[in-house]
Amino acid sequence: MNPIQKLNPIAHIETDFPTKFGIPRQSGIIESLQGRIVFEPDYRNAEAVRGLEEFSHIWLIWEFSEAVRDTWSPTVRPPRLGGNVRKGVFATRSPFRPNPIGLSSVKLEKIEIDPNLGPVLYVSGADLMDSTPIYDIKPYIAYTDSHPEAISGFASKPAECLLEVDFPDTLLKKVSPQLRESLIEVLAHDPRPQYHNDPERVYGMAFGGMEVKFTVAAHRLSVVALLQS
């Protein structure tokens, strides 16, 4: 019997989300979000990514590092169903799984060879928290990986109803120009848990070194404060 090989992270991703709150619910929803994949020292070999630049998109296989636990449940409560309906864990993309493995398709913007870090992958559209460990990277192949006729069950339609974002200019000027578009898009997609609906509550979301404070009433999100985190 062959010994079981332990999975080791090959890389980690750097994003503007230091916590889970506000991260897009699926990859590719917010294309302007930028990320950088840095390989672990044992894998900083340019030969390992030779030819990857020929592909426009890649698959990331990663760990829900904030959802690791010793037990598991066969059913979960998907937020998009209001948190009140149970579905089988394997019929959802819940992070609370027997093995906390995530799968994301992202756009590969470029590959740079850093003298200290080796090959660094720049991607967009990622739905990962900063420092998330990555176990594998595979090229996205359109003719096999894309199925336009696929049926998507209870997730057949986008859950998001875009919010109108009220972001006062005095606060928006405090945001780096490179992050403004991404931040507004994240807010428009409603970063709150989908079953929250309290117009009096002030939410806080960490993003790009800032703490964004906001309220939501009806279909309007209002930024009320912007703090350096």
Side-chain angles (χ1 to χ4, degrees):
M1 181 180 293
N2 294 327
I4 297 176
Q5 183 177 355
K6 179 183 177 182
L7 290 177
N8 295 306
I10 62 165
H12 66 272
I13 191 168
E14 299 173 355
T15 72
D16 290 306
F17 291 101
T19 65
K20 294 184 295 182
F21 188 87
I23 294 177
R25 295 177 178 91
Q26 303 291 343
S27 59
I29 290 179
I30 302 179
E31 297 180 357
S32 61
L33 284 174
Q34 302 297 306
R36 193 173 85 138
I37 296 172
V38 178
F39 286 91
E40 300 300 331
D42 288 345
Y43 303 97
R44 291 176 182 173
N45 188 326
E47 288 296 291
V49 298
R50 188 204 301 182
L52 190 61
E53 74 282 354
E54 300 172 15
F55 296 86
S56 66
H57 292 72
I58 56 178
W59 289 108
L60 304 179
I61 300 172
W62 48 278
E63 180 184 58
F64 286 105
S65 51
E66 298 295 298
V68 177
R69 53 178 60 185
D70 295 328
T71 60
W72 73 286
S73 171
T75 61
V76 295
R77 301 175 187 266
R80 73 176 300 163
L81 296 179
N84 300 315
V85 179
R86 285 195 171 274
K87 294 287 185 179
V89 65
F90 300 127
T92 76
R93 296 192 178 187
S94 167
F96 305 109
R97 322 184 67 78
N99 292 305
I101 300 298
L103 178 68
S104 296
S105 172
V106 298
K107 184 177 181 180
L108 178 62
E109 300 289 351
K110 63 179 178 179
I111 303 174
E112 289 187 351
I113 306 300
D114 184 277
N116 298 315
L117 300 176
V120 177
L121 311 186
Y122 290 80
V123 299
S124 60
D127 57 341
L128 285 73
M129 190 175 73
D130 186 53
S131 299
T132 292
I134 295 175
Y135 286 115
D136 202 4
I137 297 168
K138 300 179 186 293
Y140 180 99
I141 301 175
Y143 76 88
T144 59
D145 294 348
S146 177
H147 301 280
E149 76 286 1
I151 298 172
S152 302
F154 68 87
S156 60
K157 295 181 180 180
E160 290 81 5
C161 178
L162 293 183
L163 301 176
E164 180 182 351
V165 178
D166 178 12
F167 208 136
D169 287 340
T170 54
L171 297 178
L172 187 59
K173 289 178 180 178
K174 297 180 181 181
V175 181
S176 167
Q178 293 80 10
L179 296 179
R180 289 175 188 172
E181 179 184 355
S182 297
L183 176 55
I184 292 174
E185 283 194 71
V186 169
L187 295 173
H189 279 81
D190 197 350
R192 302 173 301 165
Q194 293 186 343
Y195 45 85
H196 278 211
N197 188 24
D198 182 359
E200 302 299 323
R201 181 169 179 173
V202 177
Y203 295 88
M205 183 187 77
F207 180 82
M210 302 167 292
E211 182 75 12
V212 185
K213 301 286 188 180
F214 63 90
T215 61
V216 180
H219 295 292
R220 186 180 185 86
L221 182 150
S222 300
V223 179
V224 297
L226 193 63
L227 310 173
Q228 293 298 319
S229 59

